[in-house]
Amino acid sequence: MTTEVAKPVIDVRALDKRFEQIHAVRGVSFSVHQGEVLGFLGPNGAGKSTTMKMIAGFLEPTGGTILVCGNQVLEEPIKVKKAIGYLPEGAPLYGEMTVYRFLDFIADIRGLNGAYKKKRIDEIIKIINIGSVVNQTIETLSKGYKRRVGLAQAILHDPQVLILDEPTDGLDPNQKFEVRNLIREMAADKAIIISTHILEEVDAVCTRAIIIASGQILFDGTPDELHGRSASRNIEEAFRLITTQHYRGKGESVQS
Amino acid sequence: MNILAIFKREFRGYFVTPVAYVFIAIFLFLNGLFTFYLGAFYESNQADLEPFFRFHPWLYLFLIPAIAMRLWSEERKTGTIELLMTLPITTAEAVVGKYLAAWCFTGVALVLTFPIWLTVNYLGNPDNTVILASYIGSMIMAGGFLAIGSCISALTKNQVIAFVISVVICFLFILSGFPMVLDLFRNWAPQAITDAIASFSFLTHFSSIKKGVIDIRDIIYFAALISFWLYANVVVIDARKAS
């Protein structure tokens, strides 16, 4: 990354994904710069997770390009995956491992070693606040703890890019507050994408919001602009207006 | 060193769940049963372990798919495959790491049959180099079964389906060397075809090994078989990305 003209850290162009019957993502383009926290909003099945899976290199796009830190996901998958910390939908984890062993495994794969590895794991355990469960097997943890272990795994190697699919799902209000603070604290030197159903989260952490429905971008702008879409500046109403217009077939694809 | 990290995780995984202990107990029990009853180990009055190794292909036929079925099916079922495949590792590294862990685990079970080796040495004076060669051969054959099972496991998230299909394919690989099957072909097919079918069989290649003869051709056969199925395993996993 050069500093003169800031190139986007994530650059998605004309991204397309078809599953046999379903056209899940249709020509999605956007970019994310360092310091940005992009909120992915949209109804269930809109294509949010599919887009995130493609950026993370788990699914191959049917068309379009994805550049992460200047590397094509399909051509340099290992370089891209090294730069990304990814929390998959539902935070899947190896249930039979203890939290510590699991993080140790991720650290090994992420190339951390020796004293630094131990220091970093301990640091993350403190940051994510999972100290009380490090020696428990993951399958015995509550949903909130599992989500936090998933988050710990994603940020362990201090990646340039964070892709978090519903990072606060299943957390209690206090935990949500903590995770949002954490994301804000990390934001300055990273490019972050989070998906969420909680619209207040957009105000709390995002610098930009994208609304996706049926695989298309319907809105791309700042949270403030999103508020402005509703007469009463209510974000929920703005969201409803944008997405329902689209489903009535009247909505044109709006990009700001 | 990604392979090593995956290997360690997987290998340890066997021993934190009851899988390892149940498998090893059953493996040892069936080995004993086959050797002493079906193999007539005592009655043969010979100081060798042929009656012990003779049944290994049959034992592996059911036990190896049981080990292999979870290798990839479980990752698919629990969704951890998404975690694994978005880590900075290649598909081949993941496949080989998992495979080697399962293979070493099988090796542990095989090593734990050592009391039978002690017994035969106590009772007589067997040729221990033959026994060592047979152990190595048995291990290599287990690797063949395992590579098939690992590939099939990547095809489905249902472990039962993975198990059943693996058993059937492994059975075909055993069967193709059976005199009964070969006779079916011998009557009408050219000798070359019958030989080719026989040459695909685990039994054909294991028969010399269990006598303690490690022939380079048998090694090449198993190496090629394992490579082929692991390669197919990688292809299957990569194909799922694009689906």
Side-chain angles (χ1 to χ4, degrees), chain B residues 118-214:
Chain B
L118 292 180
T119 307
V120 78
N121 271 280
Y122 173 76
L123 293 174
N125 289 307
D127 185 342
N128 279 320
T129 54
V130 167
I131 291 175
L132 180 67
S134 305
Y135 263 112
I136 292 170
S138 177
M139 181 73 188
I140 292 172
M141 183 174 61
F145 280 95
L146 201 54
I148 294 172
S150 176
C151 178
I152 301 302
S153 157
L155 284 168
T156 169
K157 61 171 126 184
N158 187 318
Q159 297 197 24
V160 176
I161 293 176
F163 175 80
V164 172
I165 295 179
S166 300
V167 169
V168 169
I169 293 179
C170 291
F171 188 53
L172 291 177
F173 269 92
I174 290 183
L175 217 59
S176 72
F178 232 55
M180 227 160 52
V181 175
L182 292 177
D183 285 343
L184 281 179
F185 289 93
R186 209 163 270 144
N187 294 332
W188 55 274
Q191 182 65 27
I193 290 189
T194 317
D195 285 350
I197 293 168
S199 76
F200 269 113
S201 172
F202 283 9
L203 286 188
T204 311
H205 292 277
F206 189 60
S207 65
S208 48
I209 288 175
K210 76 171 185 273
K211 291 183 208 112
V213 185
I214 294 188

Side-chain angles (χ1 to χ4, degrees), chain A residues 19-34:
Chain A
F19 299 104
E20 278 150 37
Q21 302 290 330
I22 311 149
H23 199 172
V25 177
R26 313 168 182 224
V28 163
S29 299
F30 63 91
S31 54
V32 189
H33 288 82
Q34 188 181 328

Side-chain angles (χ1 to χ4, degrees), chain A residues 222-239:
Chain A
T222 63
D224 199 49
E225 284 164 345
L226 183 55
H227 281 277
R229 284 302 180 92
S230 124
S232 54
R233 295 195 59 78
N234 179 313
I235 195 165
E236 310 250 344
E237 195 183 307
F239 178 82

Side-chain angles (χ1 to χ4, degrees), chain A residues 35-52:
Chain A
E36 275 192 305
V37 180
L38 175 66
F40 255 20
L41 312 172
N44 285 325
K48 303 184 298 282
S49 290
T50 307
T51 304
M52 292 174 125

